[in-house]
């Protein structure tokens, strides 16, 4: 490492800052995460498998991953519509709505959780009219779904928006002048160049929703096997001092999120290859 | 505009944009979606907080438990932001100013906390410091409290806010290169002089940007802190934890009063972020010129 750094050796402080970085990284991130994996190795394979395939764990994982996937799909579609409106059209309040997209990033999750619950509870502003239609959102799996949509929407918008802004309008003009109608231009010319960004936004929203805790637990109802998400089950197992159970679920979720991040990195490399840097 | 001109321009519009009803529908869907899913939750926080009047709101905020949660939140944020600031500056200096193998890998390690569920970020410290954890028995024997005390809350908060400052600074410092620093060094400045007089003025908006985002997350973190805090009333409850406790006790005005403070923090953060982003863009433009 230091030999390679010698190429730019006129600046001081490489050893010091790199040492500080690696120490702090190890103490705060790497050792604690390694501890989690070490704890898993204390379990036999049978025990590990037994925990993961118990009905309650399996259902919690299904609920977290399934609803997160569904919510990310909604975010993919709605995020694209929002980006399109924000980038391509001018309407009153556009800049305000553009800024508003970041609120789910900025609002503490517990605040989002109690706010969404109060909004969708049976007597809430949206819960009351929905209840008249016979739709119950709060304290059902639909509530989890709603909270996951809330938490995921900025990921799709903020990933796709810069790509659509940078997209050359000359290509679509060329397509139009060659006789393509608008729908063909959008679906055959514009959307394909957005695909890497769309997939990245989808994956980020999915990863966030799978691990989400604060904004979900208030509205979820938290009924085991029905509306109990995996992160909550980890917390419950911890409070019961069943550390092994908590750890096994955590490892599965952690590996899943690493795989998603790995996929995102590959996607971005693919996107860079497809669109050569200007 | 003459008729011919308007006909021409609308003909060009037809090629480049969608028919009017489609445009209207897309805008309407976007606006309604954002209003329902983002604006209304924010509004409901303040509506609930003030539902019993201004007096009830302020008496909820001046409750001793609320004040102790506010103090703890500020203290934990101060600790984690300052430590992550030092780390972020060091990491950005090493990564942006030098070439070495494994740089991309190091950056993805720094990014790790972004992809870890908050609950797991708390769990890892329970496994290290809990009664059944690796160092739990030793800590107990020496009467050192990490879990269910301020050090544990600070550690979990540092974990989740770890990448913010470094991520804000690395691209900025990479873009600025090393020429100015090399000039300063060759003119006889020491390393620290170079950093404080040359580098820091160049990255000050980036530092503020990182600190701002780091602070917002530190004050608002819920899942990780919830796992390590132990919820000892008046002692280890941060503001987000108190929001939960009061809400579960049906003390809605008090819960939403605390929540409204956190919501204001989020709004101020967003406004400040927009202003800083403008400064950062200008800085990049002027460095290109």
């Amino acid at each position: 490492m230091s030999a390679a750094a010698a190429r730019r050796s006129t600046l001081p402080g490489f050893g010091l800052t790199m040492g500080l970085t690696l120490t702090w990284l190890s103490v705060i991130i790497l050792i604690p995460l390694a501890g989690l994996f070490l704890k898993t190795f204390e379990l036999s394979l049978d025990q590990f498998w037994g925990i993961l395939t118990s009905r309650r764990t399996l259902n919690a994982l299904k609920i977290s991953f399934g609803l997160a996937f569904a919510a990310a799909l909604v975010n993919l579609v709605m995020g694209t519509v929002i980006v399109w409106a924000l980038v391509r059209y001018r309407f009153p309040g556009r800049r305000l709505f553009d800024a508003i997209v970041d609120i789910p990033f900025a609002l503490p999750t517990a605040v989002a959780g109690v706010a969404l619950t109060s909004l969708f509870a049976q007597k809430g502003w949206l819960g009351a009219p929905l209840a008249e239609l016979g739709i119950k959102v709060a304290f059902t799996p639909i509530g989890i779904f709603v909270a996951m949509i809330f938490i995921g929407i900025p990921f799709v918008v903020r990933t796709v928006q810069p790509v659509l802004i940078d997209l050359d309008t000359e290509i679509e003009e060329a397509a139009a002048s060659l006789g393509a109608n608008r729908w063909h231009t959008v679906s055959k010319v514009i959307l394909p160049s957005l695909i890497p960004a769309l997939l990245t936004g989808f994956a980020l929203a999915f990863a966030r929703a799978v691990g989400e805790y604060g904004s979900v637990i208030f509205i979820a109802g938290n009924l085991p096997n029905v509306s109990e998400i995996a992160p909550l089950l980890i917390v419950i197992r911890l409070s019961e001092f069943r550390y092994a159970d908590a750890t096994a679920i955590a490892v599965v979720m952690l590996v899943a999120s690493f795989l998603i991040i790995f996929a995102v990195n590959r996607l971005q490399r693919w996107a860079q290859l497809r669109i050569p840097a200007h | 505009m003459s008729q011919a001109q308007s006909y021409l321009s609308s003909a060009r519009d037809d090629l480049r944009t969608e028919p009017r009803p489609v445009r209207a529908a897309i805008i309407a869907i976007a606006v309604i979606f954002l209003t329902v899913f983002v604006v209304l939750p924010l509004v409901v926080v303040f509506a609930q907080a003030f539902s019993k009047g201004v007096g009830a709101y302020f008496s909820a905020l001046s409750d001793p438990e609320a004040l102790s949660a506010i103090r703890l939140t500020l203290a934990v944020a101060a600790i984690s932001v300052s430590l992550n600031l030092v780390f972020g500056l060091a990491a950005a200096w090493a990564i942006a100013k030098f070439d070495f193998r494994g740089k991309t890998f190091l950056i993805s390690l720094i990014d790790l906390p972004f992809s870890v569920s908050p609950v797991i970020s708390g769990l890892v410290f329970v496994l290290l410091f809990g009664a059944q954890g690796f160092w739990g028995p030793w800590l107990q024997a020496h009467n050192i409290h990490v879990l269910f005390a301020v050090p544990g809350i600070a550690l979990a908060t540092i974990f989740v806010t770890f990448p913010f400052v470094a991520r804000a600074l690395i691209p900025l410092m990479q873009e600025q290169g090393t020429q100015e620093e090399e000039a300063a060094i060759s003119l006889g400045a020491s390393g620290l002089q170079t950093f404080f007089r040359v580098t820091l003025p160049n990255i000050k908006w980036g530092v503020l940007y990182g600190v701002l985002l780091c602070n917002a997350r530190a004050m608002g973190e819920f899942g990780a802190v919830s796992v390590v805090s132990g919820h000892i009333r008046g002692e280890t409850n941060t503001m987000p934890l108190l929001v939960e406790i009061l809400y579960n006790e049906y003390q809605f005005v008090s819960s939403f009063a605390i929540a409204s403070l956190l919501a204001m923090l989020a709004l101020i953060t967003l406004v400040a972020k927009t202003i800083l982003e403008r400064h950062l863009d200008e800085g990049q433009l002027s460095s290109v010129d």
Side-chain angles (χ1 to χ4, degrees):
Chain A
M1 228 177 235
S2 56
R7 256 197 301 147
R8 283 198 194 176
S9 58
T10 45
L11 288 185
F14 179 75
L16 176 73
T17 53
M18 183 54 91
L20 202 60
T21 303
L22 292 179
T23 310
W24 194 233
L25 183 72
S26 307
V27 169
I28 298 295
I29 310 293
L30 300 182
I31 293 174
L33 283 180
L36 180 71
F37 284 98
L38 268 181
K39 190 84 188 170
T40 326
F41 289 130
E42 288 175 11
L43 295 170
S44 75
L45 206 60
D46 278 351
Q47 283 172 312
F48 185 74
W49 194 245
I51 291 168
L52 287 186
T53 51
S54 82
R55 181 160 166 259
R56 193 166 168 188
T57 311
L58 220 50
N59 279 323
L61 288 170
K62 263 189 224 161
I63 290 163
S64 275
F65 281 91
L67 287 175
F69 191 84
L73 277 181
V74 171
N75 282 330
L76 181 67
V77 176
M78 295 312 299
T80 312
V81 170
I82 291 169
V83 168
W84 197 267
L86 291 177
V87 173
R88 288 300 173 96
Y89 305 145
R90 296 293 170 264
F91 56 94
R94 184 183 63 93
R95 286 168 69 96
L96 186 68
F97 277 102
D98 194 349
I100 278 169
V101 170
D102 277 332
I103 284 177
F105 274 157
L107 200 65
T109 56
V111 178
V114 293
L116 287 169
T117 312
S118 145
L119 198 58
F120 286 97
Q122 209 130 37
K123 288 188 176 149
W125 294 349
L126 295 175
L130 285 170
E132 276 186 25
L133 297 171
I135 303 169
K136 206 165 167 278
V137 175
F139 317 122
T140 71
I142 305 174
I144 305 176
F145 179 59
V146 165
M148 286 175 166
I149 292 174
F150 169 85
I151 207 70
I153 194 68
F155 288 93
V156 176
V157 174
R158 292 301 182 232
T159 324
V160 179
Q161 195 175 24
V163 181
L164 186 63
I165 289 174
D166 280 348
L167 205 67
D168 218 336
T169 46
E170 276 173 27
I171 305 169
E172 36 191 298
E173 276 168 34
S177 69
L178 290 171
N181 67 28
R182 187 61 191 163
W183 171 243
H184 276 127
T185 310
V186 170
S187 62
K188 298 270 166 63
V189 179
I190 301 176
L191 280 184
S193 31
L194 295 182
I195 282 176
L198 286 168
L199 287 176
T200 304
F202 173 84
L204 292 174
F206 175 60
R208 172 68 197 259
V210 166
E212 183 54 28
Y213 178 70
S215 55
V216 174
I217 53 159
F218 295 95
I219 200 172
N222 305 328
L223 212 61
N225 300 314
V226 178
S227 55
E228 183 178 69
I229 54 168
L232 178 68
L233 189 55
I234 294 178
V235 173
I236 291 175
R237 291 309 188 211
L238 268 181
S239 68
E240 298 166 344
F241 299 103
R242 292 168 66 172
Y243 283 22
D245 294 50
T247 310
I249 305 168
V251 161
V252 170
M253 297 188 63
L254 206 56
V255 169
S257 55
F258 289 167
L259 288 178
I260 297 170
I261 293 309
F262 180 71
V264 167
N265 283 340
R266 296 310 294 264
L267 270 171
Q268 306 228 299
R269 207 164 297 168
W270 176 49
Q272 277 166 2
L273 285 178
R274 273 169 48 117
I275 307 158
H278 306 292
Chain B
M1 214 188 268
S2 77
Q3 247 185 341
Q5 261 177 327
S6 80
Y7 174 76
L8 271 178
S9 78
S10 75
R12 270 191 63 179
D13 275 356
D14 283 343
L15 295 177
R16 285 195 301 175
T17 188
E18 291 70 48
R20 202 172 238 286
V22 177
R23 265 187 289 177
I26 288 177
I27 293 173
I29 293 171
V31 165
I32 290 170
F33 182 88
L34 286 175
T35 306
V36 167
F37 279 93
V38 184
V39 179
L40 282 184
L42 193 66
V43 175
V44 94
V45 171
F46 292 96
Q48 291 275 7
F50 287 103
S51 60
K52 296 267 159 65
V54 179
Y57 177 79
F58 283 106
S59 80
L61 289 185
S62 51
D63 182 83
E65 231 180 304
L67 291 177
S68 114
I70 294 171
R71 267 196 302 272
L72 179 61
T73 298
L74 292 175
V76 168
I79 296 169
S80 26
V81 170
S82 46
L83 285 174
N84 276 333
L85 174 62
V86 173
F87 156 77
L89 284 169
W93 181 268
I95 289 171
K97 302 290 183 190
F98 299 91
D99 282 327
F100 54 90
R101 229 184 300 168
K103 188 187 278 194
T104 324
F105 183 63
L106 182 60
I107 294 177
S108 37
L109 285 183
I110 291 175
D111 271 345
L112 267 186
F114 279 158
S115 47
V116 175
S117 169
V119 167
I120 299 176
S121 314
L123 168 72
V124 292
F125 292 106
V126 175
L127 294 180
L128 290 184
F129 301 113
Q132 298 179 32
F134 291 104
W135 300 320
W138 186 88
L139 288 170
Q140 254 179 350
H142 293 78
N143 206 20
I144 302 171
H145 299 283
V146 177
L147 225 53
F148 312 141
V150 178
I153 298 174
L155 272 174
T157 308
I158 293 169
F159 183 103
V160 295
T161 56
F162 190 83
F164 284 102
V165 179
R167 286 307 270 164
L169 291 181
I170 291 168
L172 185 66
M173 282 167 73
Q174 272 176 335
E175 203 171 315
Q176 288 173 348
T178 55
Q179 282 176 342
E180 289 182 42
E181 282 86 0
E182 277 163 10
I185 296 283
S186 68
L187 289 173
S190 75
L192 278 181
Q193 279 175 326
T194 308
F195 176 75
F196 281 108
R197 303 242 180 110
V198 179
T199 311
L200 206 53
N202 277 336
I203 58 168
K204 57 176 190 270
W205 298 119
V207 172
L208 271 178
Y209 189 80
V211 164
L212 181 80
L213 297 185
C214 184
N215 177 65
R217 181 70 194 266
M219 290 190 172
E221 178 53 31
F222 176 70
V225 169
S226 168
V227 171
V228 296
S229 124
H231 303 274
I232 305 166
R233 302 198 79 138
E235 276 185 44
T236 62
N237 279 331
T238 60
M239 289 165 74
L241 295 182
L242 191 58
V243 168
E244 179 196 26
I245 288 175
L246 294 170
Y247 189 87
N248 288 340
E249 289 172 348
Y250 303 104
Q251 301 193 43
F252 293 127
V253 170
S254 304
S255 170
F256 279 100
I258 309 279
S260 76
L261 291 184
L262 291 167
M264 277 188 268
L265 168 78
L267 290 177
I268 293 168
T269 302
L270 280 186
V271 172
K273 178 172 160 275
T274 316
I275 296 170
L276 284 177
E277 273 166 358
R278 207 169 302 155
H279 277 292
L280 282 166
D281 285 345
E282 275 170 21
Q284 277 167 3
L285 285 180
S286 67
S287 73
V288 169
D289 296 339

